[in-house]
Structure formats: structure tokens, C-alpha cells
Amino acid sequence: MNVLVTGGAGFIGSNFVHYLRRERPSWKVTVLDLLTYAGNLKNIAELVEEGSVRFVKGSIADKELVDDLFKGTKFNLVFNFAAESHVDRSIHGAQVFVETNIMGTQILLDAARATGVERFVQISTDEVYGSLGPTGFFVETTPLNPTSPYAASKTGADLMVLAAVKTHGLEAVITRCSNNYGPYQFPEKLMPLFITNALEDKPLPLYGDGLNVRSWIYVEDHCAALLLCGEKGRSGEVYNIGAGADGELPNIEVTKTILSILGKSEDLIQYVADRPAHDRRYAIDYSKIKSELGWEPKISFREGVQRTVEWYKNNKEWWQSVKTGEYLKYYEMNYANR
Ligand code: NAD
Ligand code: TYD
């Protein structure tokens, strides 16, 4: 089995590559990644060095490179993680989100179709549904109503995938997962930002009233669901993936959990101006993937955060080397005048 993992040097992609190596050791894995600010070859370095994963540096939006790669290797399965993934960055500048998330996905779809890929998995997000009020859950038929440029670009990609299935008979599935956390997450997202800031005794900038609710899922649970969707999901279908009631928490509770595990003071919390169009609440109904594919999340929120905090405590060199250069400029731009 020949598998292409795009974005495999990023957070979820690299966790998935490690997961695949453990769960499907006989599969041949190629990673295609542009190594943007969010990509880090260190995340999969030992696998690349030992030769069990092939690494190709390049963009999914580079048609010539993608076409050559697909012609050179007959991929059976493609997992498309590659994306610009941060809502706040998409507010500061949306163009690259359109280029990578929509154009890049279309270029992959064309190459997959031309070379007879047997299954294409589009890693999408629950953010395509927009925001919930105080009650209810996202189901796969919830209308698409993205509010950020990031979410809008992911919605565009989802629609191109569905069009390729309907028009050309491509075998593809779409997964829509909620907020992930775990090892190797770039410290611009809430969980790693707050853990690493707390470790440095720096303020934790909580947007708005801190009561926005997310459904927090440990990344390994997401990886298990993705492999199942790749192997057994029905083509043309969307599968929601989420953590269930245990992981549905307002940001202030997530923040307090991090601080209590680290033994740090809640005085580090600093309320700052809200994000524009900040989605109020996400909650996932994952009964479809549960009943069709037998998937359920296994790691509780407390357990997942404990594991994640441990990882950041033990891998200071990893995040300290990332919190430099471009990151500091972004941090200044996003947080200075809030
Ligand atoms: P990430 O930002 O950590 O990683 C993205 C990776 O894609 C990086 O390695 C980056 O170098 C690479 N990349 C970016 N542009 C590229 C391009 N043009 N060509 C090739 N590679 C490129 O993101 P993540 O959090 O790991 O998210 C992975 C996927 O999962 C994304 O598609 C995202 O929309 C989706 N998703 C993320 C979450 C979450 O909570 N993080 C939740 C649901 C879905
Ligand atoms: P984030 O990790 O950026 O994920 P997403 O916006 O894709 O859900 O943010 C998670 C939640 O945390 C979201 O409600 C915004 C909030 N947040 C803050 O309060 N402060 C921050 O510095 C960041 C990055 C996020």
C-alpha cells in the first residue's frame, strides 16, 4: 500500500505519520510538505532518517511538482492535511488560505483522478459549520456557514472534493473534526500557546469573555478515526469527529485546567479584546462514525491535557526554537494592541 500524507510535518499530520508507522508498518508512506512556519521536519525526523518515511519538500499548490510526484509513485491512498490552519492568521491575510486550502486541494484532486488513486481523505474541520448557540450539535447535514476566512477556504475545498466525487467518480471521504491538542502543535493555537506561556510565566491572552466553547479531542483519537475513514469510510460521505461531552468546555475552563496541572497561578490569565466573528460554540454529534465505523474517542480531556503538558515540559528545545523570528513578529502583530 502506497500512501501520500500531505502536511505530514505539521501537527496532526506528523502525529498521523507516527500513528501509521505503528498501526500499518508495512505501508509505504510519502510525506509532501512545504515546511511553512507551521511545518517542522523534526516532528518526523527519525522516521525520515531511518528510511521508513520518504519526505518530499514542496507545495500542494505546485501543479508540476504534484503531477510529477503522482506519476512517479502510484498512490493507493491520499490523506490531505496540508493547509494554512490558523483562524487569527487568516484574519490578517486570507490569500494564502485560498491558494493552499482551495487551489492546492484541487490540484491534488486532479492528480488523484488522473492516476487512479483508490481513496482520497480530505481532512476538514467542524469550523465549516460556523457557530452554534447554547444548545445543539453539528451533524453532517448541518448547513455550511463558515465565518472566518480559514473556515471559508476549508469549506471551498470540501465542496471541490464533493464535486470531484459526483462529477468524476473520484473515491473520496471528508472528515470534519473539532479542536485537536497534543504533541507537536505549533504554539499559536490555544492549548500549546497557553502551556508554553505558562511555563515561561508569561500572560495567557484569553479572548473576549473566555466563555467560547470548543470540543477538545486528543490528536491520537483523531488519527484513529482518520485511518478508519481511509480504509472503511463510504465514498462521498462526510464524517464528523469529536470528543463528546467530556471535551466540550469553555476556554476559561481549559485555561484553568492547564494552570492547575502546571501548578501555576490564575493571575497569569489576561483578558484581551475578542477575535472578530469569534464562533461562540462548537459541539459534535459523532454518532455517524460511531455507528458506521465503530469509532469512539478513548482519551479523556484530563488525561489528554496531562499527556500534552508533559510533552511540552519535556520538549522545551522544540518549542523554544519555534518561538523565535517569524513567530515573534506574528505574536506582536496579533496581540500587541488587543
Ligand atoms: P498545521 O498548521 O500544524 O500543519 C499544516 C502543515 O501543512 C504544515 O506542516 C505546513 O508546512 C503544511 N503546509 C502548509 N501549506 C502547504 C502547502 N501549500 N503545501 C504543502 N504543505 C503545506 O495544521 P494542523 O493543525 O496539523 O491541521 C492539519 C489539517 O487538519 C488541516 O487541514 C486543518 O484544517 C485540519 N484540522 C485541524 C484541526 C486542529 O484543531 N488543529 C481540527 C480539525 C481539522
Ligand atoms: P484556536 O486554538 O485558535 O482554535 P480555533 O479558533 O480554530 O477554534 O482557539 C481556540 C479557542 O481559544 C477559540 O475560542 C479562540 C480562543 N483563543 C484565545 O482565547 N486566546 C488565544 O490567544 C488563542 C490563540 C485562542
Side-chain angles (χ1 to χ4, degrees):
M1 180 77 87
N2 248 311
V3 186
L4 177 66
V5 180
T6 74
F11 163 47
I12 308 175
S14 64
N15 275 283
F16 185 69
V17 168
H18 286 283
Y19 184 80
L20 271 190
R21 282 274 58 91
R22 290 197 302 273
E23 298 296 319
R24 298 291 180 272
S26 66
W27 287 13
K28 293 196 177 90
V29 177
T30 300
V31 167
L32 170 63
D33 196 299
L34 184 57
L35 297 182
T36 66
Y37 77 90
N40 192 339
L41 204 43
K42 283 185 199 157
N43 301 356
I44 50 169
E46 76 266 27
L47 302 178
V48 174
E49 277 156 23
E50 76 188 20
S52 65
V53 168
R54 173 169 68 133
F55 179 73
V56 178
K57 182 173 188 297
S59 174
I60 59 167
D62 180 341
K63 184 166 171 52
E64 204 179 318
L65 178 138
V66 167
D67 286 350
D68 284 351
L69 182 64
F70 277 71
K71 275 181 208 143
T73 306
K74 169 97 182 75
F75 294 115
N76 309 93
L77 250 172
V78 174
F79 291 89
N80 182 27
F81 293 88
E84 288 294 331
S85 68
H86 192 39
V87 171
D88 292 318
R89 286 187 191 250
S90 79
I91 293 168
H92 294 296
Q95 185 175 327
V96 69
F97 285 75
V98 175
E99 286 162 2
T100 291
N101 300 359
I102 303 181
M103 191 63 88
T105 299
Q106 185 57 44
I107 285 169
L108 288 174
L109 290 170
D110 289 339
R113 187 160 63 86
T115 56
V117 164
E118 289 149 37
R119 170 56 54 92
F120 188 102
V121 181
Q122 174 67 7
I123 291 75
S124 185
T125 163
D126 61 347
E127 302 195 25
V128 300
Y129 299 123
S131 185
L132 290 165
T135 57
F137 297 90
F138 294 136
V139 290
E140 287 79 359
T141 50
T142 297
L144 301 174
N145 187 23
T147 56
S148 71
Y150 160 66
S153 67
K154 294 295 290 187
T155 308
D158 282 14
L159 296 178
M160 296 314 291
V161 173
L162 291 173
V165 172
K166 288 174 190 150
T167 308
H168 301 293
L170 185 78
E171 292 274 323
V173 302
I174 294 172
T175 61
R176 295 187 182 142
C177 189
S178 58
N179 289 62
N180 283 222
Y181 65 96
Y184 304 115
Q185 188 167 27
F186 191 82
E188 64 187 354
K189 307 276 167 56
L190 178 98
M191 191 79 81
L193 174 65
F194 282 17
I195 293 172
T196 58
N197 276 14
L199 283 168
E200 296 181 302
D201 292 310
K202 289 185 178 155
L204 313 189
L206 197 53
Y207 295 163
D209 61 5
L211 296 178
N212 299 67
V213 173
R214 297 290 183 267
S215 166
W216 295 95
I217 182 170
Y218 191 66
V219 63
E220 202 174 293
D221 277 331
H222 185 193
C223 291
L226 292 173
L227 181 54
L228 266 177
C229 288
E231 291 184 318
K232 297 191 182 135
R234 284 183 298 132
S235 184
E237 295 294 322
V238 172
Y239 294 93
N240 282 354
I241 302 165
D246 167 67
E248 274 156 31
L249 294 162
N251 293 335
I252 181 66
E253 290 307 320
V254 175
T255 308
K256 286 181 178 172
T257 305
I258 292 168
L259 289 171
S260 89
I261 290 173
L262 281 169
K264 298 278 184 178
S265 164
E266 291 182 9
D267 292 345
L268 286 176
I269 299 171
Q270 187 175 69
Y271 284 90
V272 298
D274 210 352
R275 173 190 277 173
H278 191 178
D279 288 339
R280 193 63 175 166
R281 178 172 165 265
Y282 302 149
I284 304 275
D285 179 341
Y286 62 82
S287 50
K288 179 173 173 181
I289 188 170
K290 184 178 175 193
S291 63
E292 275 192 27
L293 306 180
W295 176 88
E296 271 189 285
K298 292 196 178 124
I299 317 277
S300 73
F301 180 72
R302 183 88 196 173
E303 157 90 34
V305 180
Q306 266 160 348
R307 283 194 201 182
T308 306
V309 165
E310 262 326 282
W311 191 86
Y312 283 90
K313 272 166 94 174
N314 294 332
N315 289 276
K316 280 198 173 134
E317 194 276 325
W318 182 93
W319 56 265
Q320 281 170 344
S321 68
V322 162
K323 280 188 153 189
T324 55
E326 191 275 345
Y327 178 86
L328 295 178
K329 276 193 212 140
Y330 162 74
Y331 202 83
E332 174 74 10
M333 176 183 64
N334 194 52
Y335 294 100
N337 298 315
R338 278 198 123 100

